[in-house]
Amino acid sequence: MPPGRVEANLALEHAARANSGIRLMLIAVVAVPLLLALSGLAVRYAAFASVSADPSLAAYVRALCRWDCKWYVDISEQGYERFPIPNRNNIGRWGFFPLYPMLVAAIRSVLPFPTIVIATMASVACGYASCLVAWPLLEKNMRAYVLYCAFLLSGPFSFYFATFLTEPLFVLVTSCLFLALRRSNYLAAGLSCALLSATRLVGVLAVVAIVIRMFEEHRQKGGSAIAFPRWLLSRPDLIIAILISPAGLFAYMLFLHVTVGDGFAFAHVQRAFGRVAGNPLLFVWDGLSYHPNPGWLPTAPQWSAMAAIAGLALAGMLAVRRQYGAALFCALALILPLTTNLASMVRYAVGLAPLTMLAACLLSASRLTFAAAVIALPVACYFMTVAWLGGYLALV
Amino acid sequence: MPWFEPTRSARPALLLGGYGLAAALAAAELAILALALNPNVNDDYRAYYIDKTTTCLNRDAVGRYTPGRTVSFRSDGAREATAMMVCGWSGPVADGTHSLGETSRLRLALPSPPGDGLLAVLQMAAVIRPPQLSQRVVISASGIRLKQATLSGPAPTTVSFAIPRAAVPSTGMLEMEFDYPDGIAQSPAASKIYNRSIKLLSFRLDAL
């Protein structure tokens, strides 16, 4: 065989091997979250069956729907109240943002299942999609990817991603936003931010990550800091991306103004939940020092305070890694609810995708921590699901 | 040249369109913000949610009541008692109806306005947390102060006072307000809407 043909054959062989390697990797990327979603379902169901007299799947889906989940079911089925609120109630549903309940209502209009069943399926689908979007964000690091998927789909807080709460959609859209930023697709990032701001109030804070990424790009191109506003004003596409970011929030405000007469009803209604503005540091300190009974197990306020500290520490680590936009977004998204109290702090920290991705990267750095985490996550899933079903206050 | 790159002649039009869209977005958001800063709500909503001048959100509760009967504010009288409660109450439960916040209100429709006024007899108990061992409660109707009582210790106290004819509107709708100057907060950082002051156990009116 002539030497030219041998070289061509070898090149073809290399290409074929590379192709099959890519194919295997793609199969792994798709299959890993699928398997972990199934294993998470099995573990959570086992936890449910251990505490419930009715082991049916319908009862399982209903049992996971606790705390805020019930508000979202009501919004999805009945929408928002006007004022006065019926049944002599102080608390309107206005504090719960509309995008996810609307999405579930839209799916319900074509599928003949109860709201909570559709929401559960949608949440798991969002969790799965979040994993796929995270693959490029995790630098295609398979170990970090496995840990991240395990955390979302079969980890200790996977029940948040298996019932009707906003976290599944919030994590998915946050991941899309940061992927768009990574590709300098600002319009896609702005649209993601608009969706995020209609999912949870703190979603609107992602606009700071968008502006910071624009600034970084401007600096990379050799622009000075002082020239940034001028550069920004010369790019209408960037201005549109920024201005469209809070569109979801503004649309909701307009809706509230038309129906309730108060565009800030989502904030004002917090009074009926007993939330009062205060110093976040004092709330954290009060939480940490709350241990009225003997014993070494931390109390619910202590867990909440520790979640806030861990979240802020991870945000600090993001800043150290020069991911300033993600760091600032996550820090603000934790500090804003902290200005009222520690309620739901564990859930808020878990729902910040950049933080959990960083945690997955850190734990995957060594084989030992990776192996320990892979074993610990589903075990913790079992016990935390039991705690969630039991109404443990720190998990609210 | 890629298809998405505009030609030189199309660029100014695209820029103009971009700025126009940005201006439209900014204008829409400013308009919504202006609307939100000027809420169009009734006085009850404004007082409770916006101005925060009350912890008791008024609502259209009215209980029918004929003088001469005692209404239990424990679990056994839940149906009748609940109808009279406007706001600032929690319960009824076994040991009575607990006050919530700085003010509670009862509203009841009498069959007819009383001729010479009414005698109110209320059984109440203080919510105490040492070192605080007593609670003051100020009762008024139609803006007329009727009684200030000091409840000491956890045992129920009977409080009686006269309600003058002037405190009952000609419609026969009696609205009683209970103010608690010494309410106990759940914690130093907790909202006042959760303040605890008294437990109302029973309520009775008699014609004078």
Side-chain angles (χ1 to χ4, degrees):
Chain A
M1 197 180 283
R5 185 167 291 180
V6 174
E7 277 168 20
N9 282 347
L10 278 174
L12 271 175
E13 224 169 86
H14 275 299
R17 233 178 266 156
N19 268 344
S20 75
I22 290 169
R23 208 175 301 143
L24 272 176
M25 194 180 67
L26 279 177
I27 290 170
V29 168
V30 173
V32 162
L34 197 62
L35 291 173
L36 286 165
L38 290 172
S39 71
L41 175 67
V43 173
R44 285 190 302 275
Y45 179 77
F48 159 76
S50 74
V51 294
S52 171
D54 177 4
S56 69
L57 268 179
Y60 161 76
V61 169
R62 282 197 307 272
L64 277 191
C65 183
R66 296 191 65 89
W67 307 105
D68 288 358
C69 171
K70 293 186 168 67
W71 289 91
Y72 288 112
V73 170
D74 287 346
I75 293 168
S76 185
E77 291 178 347
Q78 300 158 37
Y80 291 93
E81 311 95 336
R82 290 168 182 262
F83 186 83
I85 307 158
N87 303 321
R88 299 190 200 165
N89 194 347
N90 272 14
I91 313 176
R93 302 181 191 119
W94 318 308
F96 299 90
F97 274 49
L99 184 61
Y100 199 35
M102 279 169 61
L103 187 68
V104 170
I107 301 171
R108 196 184 55 231
S109 68
V110 290
L111 290 181
F113 300 115
T115 304
I116 187 59
V117 173
I118 289 170
T120 302
M121 292 191 295
S123 292
V124 174
C126 283
Y128 179 78
S130 301
C131 291
L132 298 183
V133 178
W135 172 245
L137 291 170
L138 291 165
E139 310 284 356
K140 301 185 179 177
N141 173 343
M142 187 51 85
R143 284 212 305 237
Y145 181 68
V146 169
L147 277 190
Y148 183 68
C149 297
F151 180 81
L152 283 192
L153 301 168
S154 61
F157 306 106
S158 57
F159 49 82
Y160 289 144
F161 301 90
T163 190
F164 201 170
L165 293 168
T166 47
E167 273 60 32
L169 185 64
F170 194 80
V171 167
L172 173 61
V173 183
T174 307
S175 306
C176 291
L177 186 148
F178 281 99
L179 187 60
L181 283 185
R182 193 187 176 91
R183 293 171 178 171
S184 296
N185 187 341
Y186 295 112
L187 199 58
L191 286 169
S192 299
C193 190
L195 295 177
L196 218 48
S197 71
T199 307
R200 272 185 62 204
L201 174 59
V202 294
V204 75
L205 299 170
V207 71
V208 298
I210 296 175
V211 176
I212 287 174
R213 181 73 197 99
M214 288 172 179
F215 180 75
E216 286 169 349
E217 188 185 324
H218 169 69
R219 296 286 285 154
Q220 279 162 8
K221 287 178 177 168
S224 67
I226 292 172
F228 176 64
R230 204 171 150 193
W231 176 74
L232 197 62
L233 287 173
S234 70
R235 294 273 306 269
D237 56 328
L238 301 188
I239 302 172
I240 290 170
I242 292 171
L243 287 172
I244 213 164
S245 295
L249 172 62
F250 278 108
Y252 184 45
M253 283 167 67
L254 182 61
F255 169 81
L256 288 175
H257 184 83
V258 170
T259 53
V260 184
D262 178 14
F264 286 121
F266 64 86
H268 291 142
V269 75
Q270 300 302 328
R271 179 161 204 247
F273 288 101
R275 283 185 179 259
V276 283
N279 183 342
L281 289 174
L282 280 181
F283 285 128
V284 171
W285 177 248
D286 283 349
L288 281 177
S289 53
Y290 185 80
H291 201 103
N293 301 318
W296 59 272
L297 266 179
T299 58
Q302 285 177 320
W303 280 120
S304 299
M306 286 190 283
I309 292 168
L312 290 170
L314 283 169
M317 290 184 80
L318 281 172
V320 170
R321 293 180 162 217
R322 294 176 181 275
Q323 296 180 38
Y324 300 117
L328 196 55
F329 163 60
C330 292
L332 291 174
L334 288 171
I335 291 168
L336 183 70
L338 256 184
T339 57
T340 54
N341 59 36
L342 285 170
S344 306
M345 201 43 63
V346 172
R347 179 156 59 88
Y348 294 157
V350 167
L352 288 169
L355 301 185
T356 46
M357 281 187 214
L358 174 63
C361 287
L362 294 174
L363 287 171
S364 67
S366 92
R367 283 187 183 177
L368 193 67
T369 53
F370 170 75
V374 161
I375 295 165
L377 287 174
V379 174
C381 174
Y382 179 91
F383 293 105
M384 295 298 269
T385 304
V386 170
W388 171 253
L389 293 169
Y392 188 57
L393 211 56
L395 299 173
V396 171
Chain B
M1 186 174 69
W3 64 269
F4 53 84
E5 264 190 28
T7 59
R8 187 169 289 183
S9 61
R11 250 177 232 160
L14 270 177
L15 272 178
L16 202 65
Y19 282 120
L21 181 58
L25 275 170
E29 287 171 359
L30 282 173
I32 293 169
L33 194 60
L35 285 174
L37 289 171
N38 294 285
N40 177 24
V41 292
N42 69 22
D43 292 344
D44 295 329
Y45 184 101
R46 186 177 290 280
Y48 182 78
Y49 286 115
I50 299 176
D51 298 338
K52 299 178 184 171
T53 50
T54 180
T55 58
C56 188
L57 177 59
N58 183 35
R59 56 190 97 239
D60 58 358
V62 186
R64 293 194 176 281
Y65 176 77
T66 306
R69 284 187 314 104
T70 300
V71 177
S72 169
F73 273 70
R74 298 175 191 256
S75 312
D76 56 351
R79 194 171 170 187
E80 201 171 359
T82 303
M84 293 161 65
M85 289 184 234
V86 179
C87 55
W89 301 106
S90 167
V93 289
D95 63 349
T97 296
H98 294 230
S99 70
L100 262 185
E102 296 173 316
T103 303
S104 307
R105 285 160 78 174
L106 295 176
R107 188 183 293 134
L108 38 142
L110 303 171
S112 59
D116 297 319
L118 296 160
L119 175 70
V121 182
L122 276 61
Q123 203 180 26
M124 297 186 282
V127 173
I128 56 170
R129 186 170 64 189
Q132 186 179 329
L133 299 172
S134 66
Q135 288 282 352
R136 283 176 296 159
V137 52
V138 180
I139 305 169
S140 52
S142 300
I144 299 170
R145 187 170 163 140
L146 304 175
K147 175 84 177 174
Q148 175 172 326
T150 301
L151 311 174
S152 302
T157 306
T158 300
V159 176
S160 50
F161 53 92
I163 302 176
R165 170 74 183 81
V168 186
S170 56
T171 54
M173 192 80 77
L174 175 64
E175 184 139 354
M176 294 177 72
E177 197 162 303
F178 300 69
D179 290 308
Y180 314 111
D182 311 318
I184 296 173
Q186 275 189 339
S187 71
S191 166
K192 288 177 184 170
I193 67 166
Y194 294 131
N195 277 9
R196 299 282 178 160
S197 302
I198 66 156
K199 288 175 263 185
L200 179 60
L201 286 87
S202 70
F203 175 95
R204 182 185 173 94
L205 296 180
D206 287 292
L208 279 175

